[in-house]
Amino acid sequence: MAGDGEYKRDQNYITTRITADGRDGYPVEPGRYRLVVARACPWANRASIVRRLLGLEDALSMGIAGPTHDERSWTFDLDPGGKDPVLGIERLQEAFFKRDPEYPRGITVPAIVDIPTGQVVTNDFAQITLDMSTEWTAHHRDGAPELYPDGLRDEIDDVAEKVFQDVNNGVYRCGFASSQEAYERAYGKLWDRLDWLEERLATRRYLVGDTITEADVRLFTTLVRFDAVYHGHFKTNRHKLTELPALWGYTRDLFQTPGFGDTTHFPQIKEHYYVVHTMINPTGIIPSGPDLSGWLTPHGREELGGRPFGDGTPPGPPPEAERVPDPA
């Protein structure tokens, strides 16, 4: 937290990469690594979406931490005995401490753990999904989409950076601000960017090009949480997402696309934010709303053209153990 009350995100992550050539000591190998996510977390949700879209389920297993945690890190309380069945640990911090017994920073998801050693390899959420697209290509499913195509990378990177600064991180800068001035600055930047996105998406189906890309994945995970938590809990309340025609249609379009809605777990999302953030919600009461029935209503975005998977195909249904409940 800055002296002026502005929330500053610690962006120092473990930047070791898993690559096809293994240049950091961790070559791509099916079955060797475990992706650890929490359904509640938007940054982790990105990784679970990309893994689904690319069909990496058989090559990269996934552990799911529960929605709540204490200062010691995410726990595997959803699993029998409270332990991840592959890693055999109760808390994600155990994998971080195996890598560095003095690890000084936050224990974050997503994280990829090297199963043989039990050590975390990386928690660099932005690079993890890019590497899934570019380094794990030998294990992509037939029909996997190009989420980070060569010819669009500069534009994807530019849009994604704007979205990160003002929207993905912007909602946190609103919610965790500790002064009125810092909150209002963050609120202004958030809504300036959401207005920009509303205008951009009024005439195009996707953020960059005519197919789903990494940029869409990154925006979706914030928008899908907007009305459920950010609007009230983080005081981002100029409008609800449902009051923004282009953004609401765009987010519903993605939600109804295999890989997006079927990785979104609204009950866990709400439980995490309203229970863990005791400084914002000291009672720990979880709101009953909002009404989720609108997520499956027609969006009409097909009229703008575009092909969700380009020359590829949708992924099949998620593995039974990874299913999430349908929105009520």
Side-chain angles (χ1 to χ4, degrees), residues 238-273:
R238 195 190 80 181
H239 291 97
K240 297 177 182 176
L241 178 68
T242 56
E243 296 168 343
L244 303 167
L247 283 168
W248 174 224
Y250 165 82
T251 312
R252 292 203 321 284
D253 185 2
L254 291 177
F255 186 87
Q256 294 170 30
T257 299
F260 287 84
D262 57 25
T263 63
T264 302
H265 197 303
F266 284 111
Q268 290 189 21
I269 289 169
K270 292 199 301 180
E271 183 178 358
H272 169 72
Y273 284 91

PDB file of all heavy atoms in Angstrom, residues 238-273:
ATOM      1  N   ARG A 238     -20.511   2.347 -10.695  1.00  0.00           N
ATOM      2  CA  ARG A 238     -21.184   3.300 -11.584  1.00  0.00           C
ATOM      3  C   ARG A 238     -22.315   2.622 -12.344  1.00  0.00           C
ATOM      4  O   ARG A 238     -23.413   3.162 -12.479  1.00  0.00           O
ATOM      5  CB  ARG A 238     -20.184   3.910 -12.577  1.00  0.00           C
ATOM      6  CG  ARG A 238     -20.733   5.168 -13.271  1.00  0.00           C
ATOM      7  CD  ARG A 238     -19.865   5.621 -14.417  1.00  0.00           C
ATOM      8  NE  ARG A 238     -20.113   4.841 -15.631  1.00  0.00           N
ATOM      9  CZ  ARG A 238     -19.465   5.036 -16.767  1.00  0.00           C
ATOM     10  NH1 ARG A 238     -18.492   5.946 -16.840  1.00  0.00           N
ATOM     11  NH2 ARG A 238     -19.757   4.300 -17.826  1.00  0.00           N
ATOM     12  N   HIS A 239     -22.027   1.452 -12.873  1.00  0.00           N
ATOM     13  CA  HIS A 239     -23.032   0.621 -13.526  1.00  0.00           C
ATOM     14  C   HIS A 239     -22.745  -0.836 -13.205  1.00  0.00           C
ATOM     15  O   HIS A 239     -21.605  -1.203 -12.891  1.00  0.00           O
ATOM     16  CB  HIS A 239     -22.995   0.774 -15.057  1.00  0.00           C
ATOM     17  CG  HIS A 239     -23.448   2.105 -15.558  1.00  0.00           C
ATOM     18  ND1 HIS A 239     -22.567   3.117 -15.885  1.00  0.00           N
ATOM     19  CD2 HIS A 239     -24.676   2.596 -15.794  1.00  0.00           C
ATOM     20  CE1 HIS A 239     -23.239   4.177 -16.294  1.00  0.00           C
ATOM     21  NE2 HIS A 239     -24.524   3.882 -16.253  1.00  0.00           N
ATOM     22  N   LYS A 240     -23.759  -1.665 -13.329  1.00  0.00           N
ATOM     23  CA  LYS A 240     -23.554  -3.103 -13.343  1.00  0.00           C
ATOM     24  C   LYS A 240     -23.138  -3.518 -14.755  1.00  0.00           C
ATOM     25  O   LYS A 240     -23.424  -2.819 -15.739  1.00  0.00           O
ATOM     26  CB  LYS A 240     -24.840  -3.832 -12.952  1.00  0.00           C
ATOM     27  CG  LYS A 240     -25.319  -3.554 -11.541  1.00  0.00           C
ATOM     28  CD  LYS A 240     -26.641  -4.258 -11.289  1.00  0.00           C
ATOM     29  CE  LYS A 240     -27.161  -3.949  -9.897  1.00  0.00           C
ATOM     30  NZ  LYS A 240     -28.513  -4.554  -9.681  1.00  0.00           N
ATOM     31  N   LEU A 241     -22.499  -4.661 -14.852  1.00  0.00           N
ATOM     32  CA  LEU A 241     -22.174  -5.194 -16.171  1.00  0.00           C
ATOM     33  C   LEU A 241     -23.441  -5.366 -16.996  1.00  0.00           C
ATOM     34  O   LEU A 241     -23.445  -5.090 -18.210  1.00  0.00           O
ATOM     35  CB  LEU A 241     -21.459  -6.546 -16.029  1.00  0.00           C
ATOM     36  CG  LEU A 241     -21.100  -7.252 -17.336  1.00  0.00           C
ATOM     37  CD1 LEU A 241     -20.015  -6.481 -18.078  1.00  0.00           C
ATOM     38  CD2 LEU A 241     -20.656  -8.689 -17.072  1.00  0.00           C
ATOM     39  N   THR A 242     -24.511  -5.787 -16.379  1.00  0.00           N
ATOM     40  CA  THR A 242     -25.765  -6.023 -17.103  1.00  0.00           C
ATOM     41  C   THR A 242     -26.364  -4.745 -17.668  1.00  0.00           C
ATOM     42  O   THR A 242     -27.311  -4.817 -18.463  1.00  0.00           O
ATOM     43  CB  THR A 242     -26.792  -6.698 -16.180  1.00  0.00           C
ATOM     44  OG1 THR A 242     -26.972  -5.895 -15.008  1.00  0.00           O
ATOM     45  CG2 THR A 242     -26.330  -8.085 -15.775  1.00  0.00           C
ATOM     46  N   GLU A 243     -25.839  -3.584 -17.292  1.00  0.00           N
ATOM     47  CA  GLU A 243     -26.326  -2.298 -17.798  1.00  0.00           C
ATOM     48  C   GLU A 243     -25.465  -1.753 -18.937  1.00  0.00           C
ATOM     49  O   GLU A 243     -25.733  -0.661 -19.436  1.00  0.00           O
ATOM     50  CB  GLU A 243     -26.374  -1.286 -16.652  1.00  0.00           C
ATOM     51  CG  GLU A 243     -27.358  -1.673 -15.558  1.00  0.00           C
ATOM     52  CD  GLU A 243     -27.220  -0.856 -14.290  1.00  0.00           C
ATOM     53  OE1 GLU A 243     -26.168  -0.196 -14.103  1.00  0.00           O
ATOM     54  OE2 GLU A 243     -28.153  -0.886 -13.473  1.00  0.00           O
ATOM     55  N   LEU A 244     -24.466  -2.509 -19.352  1.00  0.00           N
ATOM     56  CA  LEU A 244     -23.550  -2.098 -20.419  1.00  0.00           C
ATOM     57  C   LEU A 244     -23.763  -3.024 -21.616  1.00  0.00           C
ATOM     58  O   LEU A 244     -23.267  -4.143 -21.626  1.00  0.00           O
ATOM     59  CB  LEU A 244     -22.099  -2.171 -19.921  1.00  0.00           C
ATOM     60  CG  LEU A 244     -21.803  -1.328 -18.679  1.00  0.00           C
ATOM     61  CD1 LEU A 244     -20.452  -1.714 -18.087  1.00  0.00           C
ATOM     62  CD2 LEU A 244     -21.841   0.155 -19.014  1.00  0.00           C
ATOM     63  N   PRO A 245     -24.528  -2.602 -22.603  1.00  0.00           N
ATOM     64  CA  PRO A 245     -24.996  -3.531 -23.644  1.00  0.00           C
ATOM     65  C   PRO A 245     -23.901  -4.324 -24.333  1.00  0.00           C
ATOM     66  O   PRO A 245     -24.008  -5.548 -24.475  1.00  0.00           O
ATOM     67  CB  PRO A 245     -25.737  -2.612 -24.626  1.00  0.00           C
ATOM     68  CG  PRO A 245     -26.146  -1.427 -23.815  1.00  0.00           C
ATOM     69  CD  PRO A 245     -25.080  -1.238 -22.785  1.00  0.00           C
ATOM     70  N   ALA A 246     -22.844  -3.658 -24.800  1.00  0.00           N
ATOM     71  CA  ALA A 246     -21.807  -4.375 -25.538  1.00  0.00           C
ATOM     72  C   ALA A 246     -21.021  -5.308 -24.618  1.00  0.00           C
ATOM     73  O   ALA A 246     -20.790  -6.476 -24.954  1.00  0.00           O
ATOM     74  CB  ALA A 246     -20.872  -3.388 -26.236  1.00  0.00           C
ATOM     75  N   LEU A 247     -20.616  -4.814 -23.464  1.00  0.00           N
ATOM     76  CA  LEU A 247     -19.818  -5.630 -22.554  1.00  0.00           C
ATOM     77  C   LEU A 247     -20.625  -6.791 -21.977  1.00  0.00           C
ATOM     78  O   LEU A 247     -20.096  -7.894 -21.791  1.00  0.00           O
ATOM     79  CB  LEU A 247     -19.244  -4.770 -21.430  1.00  0.00           C
ATOM     80  CG  LEU A 247     -18.032  -3.910 -21.822  1.00  0.00           C
ATOM     81  CD1 LEU A 247     -17.719  -2.892 -20.740  1.00  0.00           C
ATOM     82  CD2 LEU A 247     -16.819  -4.778 -22.108  1.00  0.00           C
ATOM     83  N   TRP A 248     -21.884  -6.574 -21.694  1.00  0.00           N
ATOM     84  CA  TRP A 248     -22.730  -7.650 -21.176  1.00  0.00           C
ATOM     85  C   TRP A 248     -22.945  -8.713 -22.251  1.00  0.00           C
ATOM     86  O   TRP A 248     -22.822  -9.916 -21.998  1.00  0.00           O
ATOM     87  CB  TRP A 248     -24.047  -7.071 -20.684  1.00  0.00           C
ATOM     88  CG  TRP A 248     -25.113  -8.021 -20.233  1.00  0.00           C
ATOM     89  CD1 TRP A 248     -26.446  -7.944 -20.542  1.00  0.00           C
ATOM     90  CD2 TRP A 248     -24.997  -9.165 -19.353  1.00  0.00           C
ATOM     91  NE1 TRP A 248     -27.151  -8.960 -19.938  1.00  0.00           N
ATOM     92  CE2 TRP A 248     -26.291  -9.723 -19.194  1.00  0.00           C
ATOM     93  CE3 TRP A 248     -23.930  -9.757 -18.707  1.00  0.00           C
ATOM     94  CZ2 TRP A 248     -26.539 -10.854 -18.416  1.00  0.00           C
ATOM     95  CZ3 TRP A 248     -24.167 -10.893 -17.928  1.00  0.00           C
ATOM     96  CH2 TRP A 248     -25.459 -11.430 -17.781  1.00  0.00           C
ATOM     97  N   GLY A 249     -23.214  -8.291 -23.482  1.00  0.00           N
ATOM     98  CA  GLY A 249     -23.358  -9.261 -24.561  1.00  0.00           C
ATOM     99  C   GLY A 249     -22.060 -10.004 -24.827  1.00  0.00           C
ATOM    100  O   GLY A 249     -22.059 -11.228 -25.016  1.00  0.00           O
ATOM    101  N   TYR A 250     -20.949  -9.288 -24.835  1.00  0.00           N
ATOM    102  CA  TYR A 250     -19.629  -9.889 -25.063  1.00  0.00           C
ATOM    103  C   TYR A 250     -19.301 -10.928 -23.994  1.00  0.00           C
ATOM    104  O   TYR A 250     -18.845 -12.029 -24.303  1.00  0.00           O
ATOM    105  CB  TYR A 250     -18.597  -8.764 -25.062  1.00  0.00           C
ATOM    106  CG  TYR A 250     -17.149  -9.173 -24.920  1.00  0.00           C
ATOM    107  CD1 TYR A 250     -16.413  -9.601 -26.016  1.00  0.00           C
ATOM    108  CD2 TYR A 250     -16.500  -9.076 -23.680  1.00  0.00           C
ATOM    109  CE1 TYR A 250     -15.071  -9.949 -25.886  1.00  0.00           C
ATOM    110  CE2 TYR A 250     -15.171  -9.416 -23.544  1.00  0.00           C
ATOM    111  CZ  TYR A 250     -14.458  -9.853 -24.647  1.00  0.00           C
ATOM    112  OH  TYR A 250     -13.130 -10.191 -24.499  1.00  0.00           O
ATOM    113  N   THR A 251     -19.541 -10.587 -22.736  1.00  0.00           N
ATOM    114  CA  THR A 251     -19.192 -11.512 -21.665  1.00  0.00           C
ATOM    115  C   THR A 251     -20.107 -12.729 -21.688  1.00  0.00           C
ATOM    116  O   THR A 251     -19.662 -13.856 -21.442  1.00  0.00           O
ATOM    117  CB  THR A 251     -19.255 -10.801 -20.303  1.00  0.00           C
ATOM    118  OG1 THR A 251     -18.561  -9.554 -20.378  1.00  0.00           O
ATOM    119  CG2 THR A 251     -18.605 -11.647 -19.220  1.00  0.00           C
ATOM    120  N   ARG A 252     -21.395 -12.538 -21.995  1.00  0.00           N
ATOM    121  CA  ARG A 252     -22.293 -13.687 -22.136  1.00  0.00           C
ATOM    122  C   ARG A 252     -21.866 -14.576 -23.298  1.00  0.00           C
ATOM    123  O   ARG A 252     -21.933 -15.806 -23.217  1.00  0.00           O
ATOM    124  CB  ARG A 252     -23.741 -13.236 -22.346  1.00  0.00           C
ATOM    125  CG  ARG A 252     -24.336 -12.573 -21.147  1.00  0.00           C
ATOM    126  CD  ARG A 252     -25.847 -12.607 -21.081  1.00  0.00           C
ATOM    127  NE  ARG A 252     -26.613 -12.427 -22.277  1.00  0.00           N
ATOM    128  CZ  ARG A 252     -26.836 -11.275 -22.910  1.00  0.00           C
ATOM    129  NH1 ARG A 252     -26.278 -10.160 -22.470  1.00  0.00           N
ATOM    130  NH2 ARG A 252     -27.610 -11.222 -23.965  1.00  0.00           N
ATOM    131  N   ASP A 253     -21.454 -13.968 -24.399  1.00  0.00           N
ATOM    132  CA  ASP A 253     -20.989 -14.713 -25.558  1.00  0.00           C
ATOM    133  C   ASP A 253     -19.833 -15.628 -25.149  1.00  0.00           C
ATOM    134  O   ASP A 253     -19.833 -16.839 -25.437  1.00  0.00           O
ATOM    135  CB  ASP A 253     -20.545 -13.723 -26.637  1.00  0.00           C
ATOM    136  CG  ASP A 253     -20.157 -14.372 -27.957  1.00  0.00           C
ATOM    137  OD1 ASP A 253     -20.261 -15.606 -28.089  1.00  0.00           O
ATOM    138  OD2 ASP A 253     -19.739 -13.630 -28.874  1.00  0.00           O
ATOM    139  N   LEU A 254     -18.851 -15.082 -24.458  1.00  0.00           N
ATOM    140  CA  LEU A 254     -17.728 -15.894 -24.010  1.00  0.00           C
ATOM    141  C   LEU A 254     -18.172 -16.922 -22.979  1.00  0.00           C
ATOM    142  O   LEU A 254     -17.752 -18.093 -23.033  1.00  0.00           O
ATOM    143  CB  LEU A 254     -16.628 -15.004 -23.427  1.00  0.00           C
ATOM    144  CG  LEU A 254     -15.882 -14.117 -24.429  1.00  0.00           C
ATOM    145  CD1 LEU A 254     -14.878 -13.235 -23.709  1.00  0.00           C
ATOM    146  CD2 LEU A 254     -15.184 -14.946 -25.508  1.00  0.00           C
ATOM    147  N   PHE A 255     -19.016 -16.524 -22.040  1.00  0.00           N
ATOM    148  CA  PHE A 255     -19.477 -17.443 -20.997  1.00  0.00           C
ATOM    149  C   PHE A 255     -20.122 -18.685 -21.607  1.00  0.00           C
ATOM    150  O   PHE A 255     -19.949 -19.798 -21.097  1.00  0.00           O
ATOM    151  CB  PHE A 255     -20.471 -16.734 -20.080  1.00  0.00           C
ATOM    152  CG  PHE A 255     -20.898 -17.557 -18.899  1.00  0.00           C
ATOM    153  CD1 PHE A 255     -20.166 -17.545 -17.726  1.00  0.00           C
ATOM    154  CD2 PHE A 255     -22.042 -18.340 -18.959  1.00  0.00           C
ATOM    155  CE1 PHE A 255     -20.545 -18.315 -16.635  1.00  0.00           C
ATOM    156  CE2 PHE A 255     -22.439 -19.112 -17.868  1.00  0.00           C
ATOM    157  CZ  PHE A 255     -21.684 -19.095 -16.705  1.00  0.00           C
ATOM    158  N   GLN A 256     -20.845 -18.498 -22.708  1.00  0.00           N
ATOM    159  CA  GLN A 256     -21.536 -19.603 -23.349  1.00  0.00           C
ATOM    160  C   GLN A 256     -20.636 -20.386 -24.317  1.00  0.00           C
ATOM    161  O   GLN A 256     -21.080 -21.367 -24.925  1.00  0.00           O
ATOM    162  CB  GLN A 256     -22.771 -19.074 -24.081  1.00  0.00           C
ATOM    163  CG  GLN A 256     -23.818 -18.521 -23.125  1.00  0.00           C
ATOM    164  CD  GLN A 256     -24.942 -17.780 -23.819  1.00  0.00           C
ATOM    165  OE1 GLN A 256     -25.297 -18.079 -24.959  1.00  0.00           O
ATOM    166  NE2 GLN A 256     -25.514 -16.785 -23.153  1.00  0.00           N
ATOM    167  N   THR A 257     -19.373 -19.960 -24.436  1.00  0.00           N
ATOM    168  CA  THR A 257     -18.397 -20.646 -25.274  1.00  0.00           C
ATOM    169  C   THR A 257     -17.672 -21.690 -24.434  1.00  0.00           C
ATOM    170  O   THR A 257     -17.190 -21.377 -23.343  1.00  0.00           O
ATOM    171  CB  THR A 257     -17.374 -19.633 -25.831  1.00  0.00           C
ATOM    172  OG1 THR A 257     -18.064 -18.659 -26.628  1.00  0.00           O
ATOM    173  CG2 THR A 257     -16.335 -20.332 -26.687  1.00  0.00           C
ATOM    174  N   PRO A 258     -17.599 -22.950 -24.880  1.00  0.00           N
ATOM    175  CA  PRO A 258     -16.903 -23.968 -24.094  1.00  0.00           C
ATOM    176  C   PRO A 258     -15.503 -23.509 -23.687  1.00  0.00           C
ATOM    177  O   PRO A 258     -14.750 -22.978 -24.500  1.00  0.00           O
ATOM    178  CB  PRO A 258     -16.845 -25.162 -25.049  1.00  0.00           C
ATOM    179  CG  PRO A 258     -18.036 -24.983 -25.936  1.00  0.00           C
ATOM    180  CD  PRO A 258     -18.159 -23.493 -26.134  1.00  0.00           C
ATOM    181  N   GLY A 259     -15.177 -23.702 -22.422  1.00  0.00           N
ATOM    182  CA  GLY A 259     -13.895 -23.285 -21.886  1.00  0.00           C
ATOM    183  C   GLY A 259     -13.999 -22.090 -20.958  1.00  0.00           C
ATOM    184  O   GLY A 259     -13.126 -21.878 -20.111  1.00  0.00           O
ATOM    185  N   PHE A 260     -15.069 -21.309 -21.089  1.00  0.00           N
ATOM    186  CA  PHE A 260     -15.215 -20.094 -20.291  1.00  0.00           C
ATOM    187  C   PHE A 260     -16.205 -20.296 -19.137  1.00  0.00           C
ATOM    188  O   PHE A 260     -15.815 -20.376 -17.973  1.00  0.00           O
ATOM    189  CB  PHE A 260     -15.634 -18.919 -21.177  1.00  0.00           C
ATOM    190  CG  PHE A 260     -14.541 -18.406 -22.071  1.00  0.00           C
ATOM    191  CD1 PHE A 260     -14.291 -19.009 -23.298  1.00  0.00           C
ATOM    192  CD2 PHE A 260     -13.768 -17.324 -21.694  1.00  0.00           C
ATOM    193  CE1 PHE A 260     -13.279 -18.536 -24.134  1.00  0.00           C
ATOM    194  CE2 PHE A 260     -12.756 -16.831 -22.514  1.00  0.00           C
ATOM    195  CZ  PHE A 260     -12.512 -17.461 -23.737  1.00  0.00           C
ATOM    196  N   GLY A 261     -17.486 -20.402 -19.456  1.00  0.00           N
ATOM    197  CA  GLY A 261     -18.468 -20.600 -18.397  1.00  0.00           C
ATOM    198  C   GLY A 261     -18.260 -21.888 -17.633  1.00  0.00           C
ATOM    199  O   GLY A 261     -18.541 -21.957 -16.423  1.00  0.00           O
ATOM    200  N   ASP A 262     -17.739 -22.903 -18.304  1.00  0.00           N
ATOM    201  CA  ASP A 262     -17.563 -24.186 -17.627  1.00  0.00           C
ATOM    202  C   ASP A 262     -16.304 -24.237 -16.763  1.00  0.00           C
ATOM    203  O   ASP A 262     -15.950 -25.288 -16.228  1.00  0.00           O
ATOM    204  CB  ASP A 262     -17.602 -25.348 -18.628  1.00  0.00           C
ATOM    205  CG  ASP A 262     -16.569 -25.241 -19.739  1.00  0.00           C
ATOM    206  OD1 ASP A 262     -15.536 -24.591 -19.539  1.00  0.00           O
ATOM    207  OD2 ASP A 262     -16.800 -25.826 -20.820  1.00  0.00           O
ATOM    208  N   THR A 263     -15.625 -23.101 -16.613  1.00  0.00           N
ATOM    209  CA  THR A 263     -14.548 -22.985 -15.633  1.00  0.00           C
ATOM    210  C   THR A 263     -14.874 -21.937 -14.566  1.00  0.00           C
ATOM    211  O   THR A 263     -14.029 -21.633 -13.720  1.00  0.00           O
ATOM    212  CB  THR A 263     -13.214 -22.590 -16.308  1.00  0.00           C
ATOM    213  OG1 THR A 263     -13.348 -21.297 -16.902  1.00  0.00           O
ATOM    214  CG2 THR A 263     -12.807 -23.596 -17.366  1.00  0.00           C
ATOM    215  N   THR A 264     -16.089 -21.384 -14.612  1.00  0.00           N
ATOM    216  CA  THR A 264     -16.479 -20.287 -13.711  1.00  0.00           C
ATOM    217  C   THR A 264     -17.376 -20.833 -12.612  1.00  0.00           C
ATOM    218  O   THR A 264     -18.436 -21.391 -12.895  1.00  0.00           O
ATOM    219  CB  THR A 264     -17.224 -19.190 -14.510  1.00  0.00           C
ATOM    220  OG1 THR A 264     -16.379 -18.707 -15.561  1.00  0.00           O
ATOM    221  CG2 THR A 264     -17.602 -18.038 -13.593  1.00  0.00           C
ATOM    222  N   HIS A 265     -16.972 -20.635 -11.357  1.00  0.00           N
ATOM    223  CA  HIS A 265     -17.685 -21.196 -10.209  1.00  0.00           C
ATOM    224  C   HIS A 265     -18.152 -20.042  -9.329  1.00  0.00           C
ATOM    225  O   HIS A 265     -17.430 -19.582  -8.437  1.00  0.00           O
ATOM    226  CB  HIS A 265     -16.758 -22.134  -9.435  1.00  0.00           C
ATOM    227  CG  HIS A 265     -17.436 -23.077  -8.502  1.00  0.00           C
ATOM    228  ND1 HIS A 265     -18.277 -22.648  -7.488  1.00  0.00           N
ATOM    229  CD2 HIS A 265     -17.400 -24.439  -8.416  1.00  0.00           C
ATOM    230  CE1 HIS A 265     -18.715 -23.698  -6.816  1.00  0.00           C
ATOM    231  NE2 HIS A 265     -18.213 -24.794  -7.365  1.00  0.00           N
ATOM    232  N   PHE A 266     -19.371 -19.557  -9.576  1.00  0.00           N
ATOM    233  CA  PHE A 266     -19.853 -18.361  -8.876  1.00  0.00           C
ATOM    234  C   PHE A 266     -19.902 -18.521  -7.353  1.00  0.00           C
ATOM    235  O   PHE A 266     -19.515 -17.597  -6.626  1.00  0.00           O
ATOM    236  CB  PHE A 266     -21.220 -17.941  -9.418  1.00  0.00           C
ATOM    237  CG  PHE A 266     -21.160 -17.252 -10.752  1.00  0.00           C
ATOM    238  CD1 PHE A 266     -21.664 -17.868 -11.897  1.00  0.00           C
ATOM    239  CD2 PHE A 266     -20.611 -15.986 -10.869  1.00  0.00           C
ATOM    240  CE1 PHE A 266     -21.613 -17.237 -13.121  1.00  0.00           C
ATOM    241  CE2 PHE A 266     -20.557 -15.332 -12.101  1.00  0.00           C
ATOM    242  CZ  PHE A 266     -21.058 -15.967 -13.230  1.00  0.00           C
ATOM    243  N   PRO A 267     -20.370 -19.642  -6.810  1.00  0.00           N
ATOM    244  CA  PRO A 267     -20.383 -19.745  -5.338  1.00  0.00           C
ATOM    245  C   PRO A 267     -18.993 -19.603  -4.722  1.00  0.00           C
ATOM    246  O   PRO A 267     -18.831 -18.936  -3.687  1.00  0.00           O
ATOM    247  CB  PRO A 267     -20.982 -21.129  -5.092  1.00  0.00           C
ATOM    248  CG  PRO A 267     -21.821 -21.402  -6.301  1.00  0.00           C
ATOM    249  CD  PRO A 267     -21.079 -20.785  -7.435  1.00  0.00           C
ATOM    250  N   GLN A 268     -17.985 -20.209  -5.338  1.00  0.00           N
ATOM    251  CA  GLN A 268     -16.635 -20.088  -4.785  1.00  0.00           C
ATOM    252  C   GLN A 268     -16.076 -18.684  -4.971  1.00  0.00           C
ATOM    253  O   GLN A 268     -15.330 -18.180  -4.120  1.00  0.00           O
ATOM    254  CB  GLN A 268     -15.710 -21.139  -5.409  1.00  0.00           C
ATOM    255  CG  GLN A 268     -16.036 -22.553  -4.963  1.00  0.00           C
ATOM    256  CD  GLN A 268     -15.000 -23.570  -5.395  1.00  0.00           C
ATOM    257  OE1 GLN A 268     -13.860 -23.236  -5.681  1.00  0.00           O
ATOM    258  NE2 GLN A 268     -15.400 -24.832  -5.443  1.00  0.00           N
ATOM    259  N   ILE A 269     -16.413 -18.049  -6.071  1.00  0.00           N
ATOM    260  CA  ILE A 269     -15.983 -16.661  -6.282  1.00  0.00           C
ATOM    261  C   ILE A 269     -16.508 -15.780  -5.152  1.00  0.00           C
ATOM    262  O   ILE A 269     -15.754 -15.028  -4.516  1.00  0.00           O
ATOM    263  CB  ILE A 269     -16.471 -16.154  -7.652  1.00  0.00           C
ATOM    264  CG1 ILE A 269     -15.691 -16.825  -8.785  1.00  0.00           C
ATOM    265  CG2 ILE A 269     -16.337 -14.633  -7.743  1.00  0.00           C
ATOM    266  CD1 ILE A 269     -16.281 -16.583 -10.159  1.00  0.00           C
ATOM    267  N   LYS A 270     -17.782 -15.863  -4.881  1.00  0.00           N
ATOM    268  CA  LYS A 270     -18.360 -15.008  -3.840  1.00  0.00           C
ATOM    269  C   LYS A 270     -17.817 -15.357  -2.464  1.00  0.00           C
ATOM    270  O   LYS A 270     -17.521 -14.467  -1.655  1.00  0.00           O
ATOM    271  CB  LYS A 270     -19.892 -15.115  -3.865  1.00  0.00           C
ATOM    272  CG  LYS A 270     -20.522 -14.513  -5.111  1.00  0.00           C
ATOM    273  CD  LYS A 270     -21.992 -14.208  -4.928  1.00  0.00           C
ATOM    274  CE  LYS A 270     -22.795 -15.433  -4.578  1.00  0.00           C
ATOM    275  NZ  LYS A 270     -24.232 -15.110  -4.412  1.00  0.00           N
ATOM    276  N   GLU A 271     -17.682 -16.641  -2.180  1.00  0.00           N
ATOM    277  CA  GLU A 271     -17.185 -17.039  -0.865  1.00  0.00           C
ATOM    278  C   GLU A 271     -15.784 -16.492  -0.623  1.00  0.00           C
ATOM    279  O   GLU A 271     -15.470 -15.995   0.463  1.00  0.00           O
ATOM    280  CB  GLU A 271     -17.190 -18.564  -0.740  1.00  0.00           C
ATOM    281  CG  GLU A 271     -16.757 -19.046   0.638  1.00  0.00           C
ATOM    282  CD  GLU A 271     -16.804 -20.553   0.785  1.00  0.00           C
ATOM    283  OE1 GLU A 271     -17.208 -21.247  -0.187  1.00  0.00           O
ATOM    284  OE2 GLU A 271     -16.426 -21.050   1.863  1.00  0.00           O
ATOM    285  N   HIS A 272     -14.947 -16.566  -1.627  1.00  0.00           N
ATOM    286  CA  HIS A 272     -13.575 -16.076  -1.454  1.00  0.00           C
ATOM    287  C   HIS A 272     -13.546 -14.584  -1.096  1.00  0.00           C
ATOM    288  O   HIS A 272     -12.976 -14.193  -0.075  1.00  0.00           O
ATOM    289  CB  HIS A 272     -12.768 -16.292  -2.734  1.00  0.00           C
ATOM    290  CG  HIS A 272     -11.440 -15.596  -2.729  1.00  0.00           C
ATOM    291  ND1 HIS A 272     -10.390 -16.015  -1.952  1.00  0.00           N
ATOM    292  CD2 HIS A 272     -11.005 -14.481  -3.369  1.00  0.00           C
ATOM    293  CE1 HIS A 272      -9.362 -15.198  -2.123  1.00  0.00           C
ATOM    294  NE2 HIS A 272      -9.710 -14.267  -2.983  1.00  0.00           N
ATOM    295  N   TYR A 273     -14.140 -13.775  -1.940  1.00  0.00           N
ATOM    296  CA  TYR A 273     -14.024 -12.331  -1.733  1.00  0.00           C
ATOM    297  C   TYR A 273     -14.683 -11.881  -0.432  1.00  0.00           C
ATOM    298  O   TYR A 273     -14.110 -11.086   0.325  1.00  0.00           O
ATOM    299  CB  TYR A 273     -14.630 -11.581  -2.920  1.00  0.00           C
ATOM    300  CG  TYR A 273     -13.755 -11.577  -4.148  1.00  0.00           C
ATOM    301  CD1 TYR A 273     -13.859 -12.572  -5.117  1.00  0.00           C
ATOM    302  CD2 TYR A 273     -12.811 -10.584  -4.349  1.00  0.00           C
ATOM    303  CE1 TYR A 273     -13.055 -12.573  -6.245  1.00  0.00           C
ATOM    304  CE2 TYR A 273     -12.008 -10.562  -5.474  1.00  0.00           C
ATOM    305  CZ  TYR A 273     -12.130 -11.563  -6.415  1.00  0.00           C
ATOM    306  OH  TYR A 273     -11.320 -11.563  -7.532  1.00  0.00           O
TER     307      TYR A 273
END
